[in-house]
Amino acid sequence: MRLYRFLSAPDDSTFCHKVTAALNKGWHLYGSPTYAYDKKTKSMRCGQSVVKDIDGQEYGPDTKLSDW
């Protein structure tokens, strides 16, 4: 199965740590990062898509993506 996640966080080290943790768990960057203004918090936020292939497993709606 191929898994997809979209990671987002404030524009600070939190975002970098979140993406780094995913990369160290075997996830791969997918596409370009995004950067947008959050009106509610009046701050910038970053986002990055990541994917991961898992052999021998079948995806279902109950699959907890953060477990992988």
Side-chain angles (χ1 to χ4, degrees), residues 18-50:
K18 189 180 274 193
V19 173
T20 299
L23 294 174
N24 280 283
K25 288 183 176 182
W27 292 82
H28 299 277
L29 299 177
Y30 185 79
S32 299
T34 61
Y35 193 60
Y37 183 72
D38 182 342
K39 284 186 197 179
K40 188 174 182 180
T41 63
K42 297 182 175 152
S43 64
M44 296 302 290
R45 292 189 59 84
C46 299
Q48 175 66 57
S49 297
V50 293

